Amino acid sequence: LAWLRGTSVEAVSQEISSMSCGVEGSTETTHEDVGLIREFFSCPNLHPLLLTFVLHFLQNWSGVNVIVFKTVHVFETVGSSIDKYVCTAIVGGVQLVSTGLSIFLVNRAGRRPLLMISGLVMTISMGSLAAFLYFQSSIPDSWRWLPLVSIIGSFIGYSVGYATIPFIIMGEMLPARTRNLSGALSSSFNLTCLFLVLKFYTNLAEMIEYHGVYWLFTAVNMFGVIFVFCFLPETRGKSLQEIEVIFAKKKTVNYA
């Protein structure tokens, strides 16, 4: 853990000891306090829970998960000049490499910068894909490799931030006392969002056409950049206790 974080073994050991004490204290309090449900509905719990909900929504409605599960269908839709199965293999390799790189970036660059970079890259990629679909009939064959480039860009952007960071933040922000319940709800919301975007992808395409669907994904990604910049606190380098204090404070907190 110290190697992954780039910190000293002593600092990690101290944090583990602090976490252990917090868990023990929480267990003792649980037996004495019957107001756990009231605590669940308190602002220090609902605030980070709502943040995780929004991040899970952004993660699934960014459009990348549609491409992950329907890669061949997507390349058939955009009419790429490269074979759809070759495109699928290329995209899979890019996702593998970029996800591996993101592991080393998370604790070096911070959560907020990576999420904003991720959102910006996906906004540009999904926007270019939507524009390609809108003008598809008038685009010459010599430019039909553009969808592959856009999709590769979206996978790189997604892997750098939204592929992993929402789950990291869920483990960091949710208070220890209510984490079992809050974590279950947050994970369930994530899977619900994934189900909805996959279930209604073709239905949306029938209503607003495929270029409309990808403009929707573009808008969601742009909203994500603004949301992270305005509302998401940075958790890199903070202990779980310090993060809980951020949400327990009623005064304005500097998120920079």
Side-chain angles (χ1 to χ4, degrees):
L1 183 59
W3 175 75
L4 284 174
R5 289 187 174 185
T7 58
S8 65
V9 175
E10 291 76 12
V12 173
S13 300
Q14 184 178 359
E15 183 176 348
I16 292 174
S17 300
S18 178
M19 290 170 59
S20 300
C21 293
V23 170
E24 291 172 1
S26 175
T27 304
E28 293 174 2
T29 307
T30 302
H31 295 299
E32 300 173 358
D33 186 9
V34 295
L36 185 59
I37 298 300
R38 182 182 301 174
E39 187 172 339
F40 173 81
F41 287 103
S42 65
C43 185
N45 180 73
L46 292 180
H47 186 178
L49 180 60
L50 180 60
L51 290 177
T52 65
F53 277 9
V54 176
L55 290 178
H56 287 316
F57 169 79
L58 294 171
Q59 180 189 57
N60 288 290
W61 282 87
S62 65
V64 173
N65 277 333
V66 169
I67 301 175
V68 170
F69 286 92
K70 299 176 181 286
T71 309
V72 174
H73 172 71
V74 170
F75 280 110
E76 287 178 345
T77 301
V78 299
S80 174
S81 60
I82 304 173
D83 181 77
K84 58 190 177 183
Y85 296 106
V86 174
C87 291
T88 301
I90 293 172
V91 167
V94 170
Q95 184 184 22
L96 176 65
V97 174
S98 53
T99 301
L101 291 175
S102 70
I103 296 174
F104 297 96
L105 292 175
V106 169
N107 283 315
R108 289 167 173 78
R111 283 61 164 148
R112 279 166 48 86
L114 287 179
L115 284 173
M116 286 188 284
I117 292 171
S118 178
L120 281 173
V121 173
M122 289 192 294
T123 298
I124 295 170
S125 299
M126 290 297 172
S128 62
L129 194 57
F132 180 92
L133 288 168
Y134 186 78
F135 297 106
Q136 187 173 15
S137 59
S138 60
I139 294 177
D141 292 340
S142 59
W143 288 91
R144 291 194 174 271
W145 48 267
L146 282 173
L148 177 59
V149 175
S150 297
I151 291 173
I152 287 175
S154 68
F155 268 77
I156 293 174
Y158 180 79
S159 298
V160 165
Y162 277 99
T164 56
I165 293 179
F167 299 109
I168 295 173
I169 286 180
M170 185 175 72
E172 292 177 336
M173 286 190 176
L174 297 179
R177 281 264 293 157
T178 56
R179 187 171 297 146
N180 289 341
L181 178 57
S182 298
L185 286 174
S186 186
S187 298
S188 298
F189 183 78
N190 177 275
L191 294 175
T192 300
C193 288
L194 177 60
F195 169 78
L196 291 175
V197 72
L198 294 177
K199 173 67 176 176
F200 295 107
Y201 171 68
T202 52
N203 300 84
L204 284 172
E206 291 173 359
M207 294 172 56
I208 58 178
E209 300 188 20
Y210 281 106
H211 64 81
V213 175
Y214 284 91
W215 283 127
L216 173 63
F217 293 153
T218 302
V220 169
N221 288 318
M222 193 67 251
F223 167 75
V225 175
I226 298 170
F227 175 83
V228 170
F229 179 79
C230 295
F231 300 109
L232 188 71
E234 179 59 74
T235 58
R236 181 175 70 95
K238 294 182 174 66
S239 67
L240 298 180
Q241 288 72 24
E242 290 173 333
I243 295 170
E244 287 191 26
V245 169
I246 292 176
F247 294 106
K249 291 179 179 179
K250 295 183 179 180
K251 62 182 181 179
T252 303
V253 178
N254 181 13
Y255 285 173

